[in-house]
Amino acid sequence: MEELQHFSDTMWFDFLLRLAVNIVSTLILIRFVYYPRNSRVKYLFTFFLLGLMIFLIASILDRVSLDIGFAFGLFAIFGIIRYRSPSIDLKEMTYLFLVIGMSIINALVVFNISDWFGLVVANSIILLSAYIMENYVPRKHIIKKALVFSPSNYAVLSSTKDLLDEVRRNTGIDVLKVEISKINKTKNEVAVWIYFIQSNDSNNNELPVEKVKQPENLLWESTSTAEY
């Protein structure tokens, strides 16, 4: 009886210690790594409670033996219940995956009380990697923006070089590539996507406000990808 009580106390201590590590790690990830540079309060609620729920479910499944029928039924329920929400940015999806992965690691990885630092190291690697990548910004990166301008002659649209020169004269920046989106001859306007290199330590490549206006049917877009 005493051995059973000791075993039960050890399991509860193991569970509570894992829970504490998971809560602290999740809070550091979403409050001190994600939030300062993104400032989206609603995701703090989502990330924390989702991580907590994943941890509890994984902990229970790890300690309860399930027959095959009940397991299939459980997965069927999880398949029916899904988020019906607007599309989530890729960055938020990455943090969501980090929270889920960290919670599963904290719940299921073999954990010995005498070797507890292994779990802490695993969480530290995730947190440090997220912090480094969150604060890393290349010195120069390619910007993509929407631009509407009035061409001097529609003949420039048939030549890539002439179109680049036209956009460079209108914006005053060294544009790398131009993609025509829409042409409105009634208003004598052309909507294009422009790509240019912007340096983080300089604002010289900002588009002149008086020469640029946002197209009515396009969304402004900024990206640091070099695929163009």
Side-chain angles (χ1 to χ4, degrees), residues 154 183-189:
Y154 278 98
I183 300 175
N184 190 335
K185 290 188 177 182
T186 303
K187 295 183 178 180
N188 191 32
E189 291 179 345

Side-chain angles (χ1 to χ4, degrees), residues 132-145:
I132 292 175
M133 295 310 300
E134 182 68 62
N135 290 275
Y136 170 74
V137 179
R139 294 191 61 183
K140 292 183 178 180
H141 56 285
I142 291 180
I143 297 294
K144 177 185 177 183
K145 285 191 176 182

Side-chain angles (χ1 to χ4, degrees), residues 7-210:
F7 179 73
S8 178
D9 293 341
T10 303
M11 288 185 61
W12 273 108
F13 181 76
D14 175 80
F15 169 77
L16 293 177
L17 191 57
R18 286 173 180 269
L19 179 62
V21 172
N22 188 68
I23 290 177
V24 171
S25 300
T26 304
L27 283 176
I28 293 175
L29 178 66
I30 64 177
R31 179 61 182 87
F32 299 103
V33 178
Y34 168 78
Y35 183 74
R37 296 186 67 89
N38 299 276
S39 302
R40 294 189 172 183
V41 179
K42 62 180 181 179
Y43 284 109
L44 299 183
F45 173 87
T46 302
F47 290 155
F48 179 78
L49 290 185
L50 183 64
L52 179 62
M53 196 64 192
I54 292 294
F55 174 84
L56 294 176
I57 292 176
S59 298
I60 293 174
L61 294 180
D62 184 46
R63 290 167 173 79
V64 176
S65 58
L66 302 178
D67 58 67
I68 190 68
F70 183 78
F72 275 117
L74 187 61
F75 279 108
I77 294 174
F78 289 156
I80 296 174
I81 301 175
R82 59 179 180 177
Y83 285 103
R84 295 186 179 274
S85 60
S87 59
I88 303 177
D89 292 340
L90 182 60
K91 191 173 187 178
E92 273 67 38
M93 285 294 295
T94 303
Y95 272 100
L96 189 65
F97 181 74
L98 287 178
V99 170
I100 294 174
M102 191 161 56
S103 300
I104 293 176
I105 290 174
N106 292 334
L108 300 181
V109 167
V110 176
F111 180 65
N112 297 320
I113 303 302
S114 60
D115 195 28
W116 60 270
F117 63 88
L119 197 62
V120 175
V121 169
N123 284 269
S124 299
I125 292 174
I126 296 174
L127 296 175
L128 183 61
S129 300
Y131 177 80
I132 292 175
M133 295 310 300
E134 182 68 62
N135 290 275
Y136 170 74
V137 179
R139 294 191 61 183
K140 292 183 178 180
H141 56 285
I142 291 180
I143 297 294
K144 177 185 177 183
K145 285 191 176 182
L147 167 69
V148 173
F149 72 100
S150 298
S152 58
N153 190 335
Y154 278 98
V156 301
L157 303 182
S158 61
S159 172
T160 302
K161 182 180 182 303
D162 293 341
L163 180 58
L164 276 174
D165 293 338
E166 181 83 3
V167 172
R168 287 167 181 169
R169 284 195 299 269
N170 277 272
T171 60
I173 61 176
D174 187 16
V175 178
L176 300 176
K177 182 184 176 181
V178 180
E179 292 179 351
I180 300 175
S181 177
K182 292 184 180 297
I183 300 175
N184 190 335
K185 290 188 177 182
T186 303
K187 295 183 178 180
N188 191 32
E189 291 179 345
V190 177
V192 297
W193 291 107
I194 63 173
Y195 300 77
F196 60 95
I197 295 178
Q198 184 175 31
S199 177
N200 292 325
D201 54 1
S202 173
N203 294 322
N204 295 331
N205 289 329
E206 290 295 329
L207 293 174
V209 177
E210 66 277 6

